[in-house]
Amino acid sequence: MAACRWEWLFLVLCLPIPLALAQGVQNCPPRNELEPCVCTPKKNGLDILCEFTDLNHISKAMAVLKGKPSIIIFYLKLRHNNLPKLQSFVFLGIDIRHLTIHNSSLSVIEESSLSSMGKGLTQLDLSQNRLSTVPSPAFRNLHHLLILNMNHNRITALHSKAFEGLDTLEILTLYENKISNIEGDAFKGLDKKLRRLNLGGNKLTSVPQEAFSILDTLKKLEMQENSITSITEGDFEGLKNLDSLGLAHNHLREVPGRVFSHLTLLNSLELDGNQITHIDVEAFVGLEENLQYLRLGDNNLHEIPSEALRRLHRLRHLDLRANNITVIPEDAFTGYGDSITFLNLQKNDIKILPAMAFDNLNSLETLNLQNNKLTHIPEEIMEPIVDTLRVVDIMDNPLVCDCQLRWFRDWLKNLKDKDDEMMQKKRTLCTMMPEHQEYYVQNLPLEKMNCVSKSQVRGGASASTCLLPATFLTLACSAHTWT
């Protein structure tokens, strides 16, 4: 179990298969007895699907299954039905491992409707229904449940001890409800096993610190697409094993100092899609040893928050896309750039790349500069990183065709097949001055531009020296040494 990923689609691969199932595939009841439900025999048990029907037909099908106690239902899927109420004992006497009641207008789950399933049920999907509260009494005896999906319902609050009894639960998803209030002991009983909690797409305006404080087994917390306006030091105290935190698409305006200081094992932090204008110098205190993925795109930053980032010496993925960054200081990546493999600066307002902008990015593999205001990308600026780069996106910039862009054409030719196929699809344009004729950078007309090949370079001239006519001299060759 420990070696398996705790993802919704793959968790079933980690579940133990009952010994009785190893004897062979089970047989479905006669088709006419289950209609309109459909049964398919599977290796781990029967897969039964009931769609576009009602409670009366579903009850009849369940009665047939109750008469065959040796049958194991690995999947029972009730989808797109008219099932406003789940009645008492509807599944009594049926061994069900995974139960889905999806998009079936379900608004009431009676207390005893699930109680008989406590020994076998490991996954319960109640998504896209009309539940307005957590049906806690119906869950209380599900002592082997691993996954509970209540996405896309109408739940407005998580009341006290809402999930009591679910002491084996590992994944709880409540995405896109209407939750605005979470009581302090709402998650009581989930502190033993819970690894993933999804509260995204709700109406939270602050972090429910008291409710989170007991969840010391939690690995992944998703709170994206809420209305959280601020976060403060102590909000995440207690989440000492958290690996991934999602706060994207909220209403945050700043990241204060030491706000994540308790999350010393955090590997991934998503803050994109907020309104952040300021990041405190001590914002990432506590994250020094483990943070590798940081997303700050789609905010309102006017500069790279280098001082706050310098302590993150294990950072690999830095996303700063779609901000208002105009300048990259020469020391922007000093002190933490050695480990970065992915850097996204697309959709900013960068006009010039300073001479030593990328000198510290010794491991960089992907660089995205798309949709900025760059007219020139000199070879000497790219030289420190060109050997490690596998992906470079410089599309949608007002590039001027000059000899200094030869590095990009040569770099494309040297790519391996897989990388080359992807990069060749990116049709990067530059404009030849003064006639304003456009060329693909991949096909720069070096001869027409009078660019000197590297083999021709002698003496003190740089490898990118060009001998353009006077009309091009200022635009393309101003940075060169002439002999």
Side-chain angles (χ1 to χ4, degrees):
M1 292 282 285
C4 296
R5 292 181 59 194
W6 302 103
E7 300 290 342
W8 180 270
L9 294 177
F10 302 109
L11 187 62
V12 291
L13 300 177
C14 307
L15 301 177
I17 299 174
L19 182 62
L21 295 182
Q23 299 174 358
V25 177
Q26 294 187 319
N27 295 319
C28 289
R31 182 175 179 179
N32 63 314
E33 292 184 12
L34 283 180
E35 287 182 344
C37 301
V38 178
C39 176
T40 305
K42 300 288 186 180
K43 181 179 180 180
N44 297 328
L46 301 184
D47 186 335
I48 296 178
L49 173 63
C50 304
E51 290 187 305
F52 304 104
T53 186
D54 54 27
L55 177 60
N56 184 45
H57 287 94
I58 291 172
S59 297
K60 289 180 179 178
M62 295 304 105
V64 171
L65 297 173
K66 289 176 184 179
K68 303 180 184 299
S70 62
I71 287 180
I72 294 177
I73 312 299
F74 199 66
Y75 288 108
L76 175 58
K77 304 168 187 173
L78 310 178
R79 301 189 307 208
H80 314 295
N81 296 301
N82 181 19
L83 187 61
K85 183 178 181 180
L86 198 60
Q87 295 181 329
S88 298
F89 306 111
V90 64
F91 302 119
L92 182 64
I94 308 175
D95 188 353
I96 303 172
R97 304 301 165 87
H98 307 89
L99 173 62
T100 295
I101 305 175
H102 171 79
N103 193 22
S104 294
S105 305
L106 185 65
S107 59
V108 177
I109 301 179
E110 293 192 349
E111 181 175 351
S112 54
S113 59
L114 301 174
S115 60
S116 64
M117 307 171 70
K119 293 183 178 180
L121 192 68
T122 58
Q123 294 188 25
L124 178 59
D125 181 350
L126 299 171
S127 60
Q128 204 164 322
N129 282 293
R130 298 178 182 175
L131 295 170
S132 58
T133 61
V134 177
S136 306
F139 293 162
R140 194 164 292 140
N141 294 315
L142 302 181
H143 297 304
H144 294 271
L145 196 67
L146 300 176
I147 300 176
L148 175 58
N149 179 356
M150 300 184 71
N151 295 345
H152 303 284
N153 275 279
R154 302 176 181 181
I155 298 169
T156 57
L158 299 183
H159 54 77
S160 175
K161 303 177 184 178
F163 306 97
E164 192 172 32
L166 303 181
D167 48 6
T168 59
L169 198 67
E170 297 181 0
I171 297 176
L172 173 60
T173 64
L174 291 152
Y175 180 72
E176 280 209 356
N177 277 270
K178 299 180 179 181
I179 300 168
S180 60
N181 180 46
I182 299 178
E183 295 187 12
D185 57 351
F187 300 121
K188 186 175 182 179
L190 299 183
D191 53 311
K192 296 178 181 178
K193 296 282 187 177
L194 194 68
R195 294 174 178 267
R196 176 178 175 184
L197 175 60
N198 189 340
L199 291 166
N202 281 285
K203 297 183 180 297
L204 295 171
T205 57
S206 62
V207 176
Q209 188 274 331
E210 185 180 357
F212 287 165
S213 63
I214 65 167
L215 300 179
D216 59 2
T217 62
L218 202 64
K219 295 285 189 180
K220 185 171 186 177
L221 174 59
E222 296 165 277
M223 298 184 69
Q224 72 281 2
E225 299 168 41
N226 275 278
S227 300
I228 299 171
T229 56
S230 65
I231 50 178
T232 59
E233 184 178 357
D235 276 352
F236 306 102
E237 186 176 1
L239 302 177
K240 61 183 181 181
N241 285 300
L242 202 66
D243 176 80
S244 175
L245 175 59
L247 289 166
H249 302 287
N250 276 279
H251 299 157
L252 300 175
R253 293 184 178 275
E254 66 172 339
V255 185
R258 307 185 66 86
V259 67
F260 306 115
S261 59
H262 299 93
L263 306 180
T264 56
L265 298 182
L266 198 68
N267 177 264
S268 175
L269 176 58
E270 298 177 0
L271 292 166
D272 45 310
N274 281 278
Q275 302 159 23
I276 298 171
T277 59
H278 174 68
I279 297 178
D280 190 89
V281 173
E282 295 191 331
F284 304 123
V285 167
L287 307 184
E288 293 89 346
E289 297 302 319
N290 288 292
L291 193 71
Q292 297 187 52
Y293 300 90
L294 179 58
R295 294 170 176 84
L296 290 166
D298 293 290
N299 279 291
N300 194 24
L301 295 171
H302 288 263
E303 60 184 18
I304 297 173
S306 301
E307 291 305 312
L309 297 172
R310 292 202 203 285
R311 66 182 70 248
L312 302 177
H313 52 263
R314 295 197 63 196
L315 194 63
R316 297 181 64 234
H317 179 123
L318 178 59
D319 189 347
L320 289 163
R321 73 186 188 280
N323 277 280
N324 292 308
I325 297 170
T326 57
V327 176
I328 302 178
E330 290 199 346
D331 65 345
F333 305 104
T334 302
Y336 67 99
D338 284 351
S339 59
I340 293 178
T341 61
F342 176 98
L343 177 61
N344 191 349
L345 290 165
Q346 70 170 314
K347 295 184 179 179
N348 279 285
D349 293 309
I350 301 167
K351 297 179 181 179
I352 299 174
L353 297 176
M356 301 175 64
F358 304 133
D359 275 16
N360 295 284
L361 300 173
N362 303 321
S363 303
L364 196 64
E365 296 178 1
T366 298
L367 175 62
N368 194 334
L369 292 166
Q370 181 186 0
N371 203 350
N372 276 279
K373 304 292 177 58
L374 295 167
T375 55
H376 300 279
I377 305 180
E379 181 174 7
E380 56 266 28
I381 292 176
M382 303 301 295
E383 187 175 5
I385 60 174
V386 72
D387 290 337
T388 61
L389 285 175
R390 298 177 60 187
V391 177
V392 181
D393 193 341
I394 56 175
M395 292 177 61
D396 302 320
N397 279 285
L399 293 170
V400 173
C401 296
D402 62 18
C403 301
Q404 293 245 0
L405 275 175
R406 177 168 46 194
W407 70 266
F408 186 73
R409 193 191 73 158
D410 294 344
W411 174 81
L412 282 174
K413 290 181 179 179
N414 293 327
L415 282 179
K416 297 179 181 178
D417 292 342
K418 183 178 179 181
D419 298 319
D420 184 56
E421 182 180 352
M422 179 179 66
M423 285 302 306
Q424 291 294 348
K425 292 179 181 178
K426 296 181 181 293
R427 310 306 288 172
T428 305
L429 289 169
C430 65
T431 302
M432 180 79 82
M433 303 297 285
E435 62 264 34
H436 297 284
Q437 185 175 351
E438 288 188 334
Y439 290 90
Y440 290 121
V441 178
Q442 291 92 322
N443 302 316
L444 273 177
L446 297 180
E447 297 79 12
K448 181 177 180 180
M449 296 163 61
N450 291 333
C451 294
V452 176
S453 67
K454 293 185 179 182
S455 60
Q456 293 176 287
V457 177
R458 294 290 185 271
S462 72
S464 296
T465 297
C466 55
L467 300 175
L468 295 179
T471 52
F472 297 121
L473 188 60
T474 302
L475 288 170
C477 301
S478 58
H480 291 282
T481 302
W482 294 87
T483 57

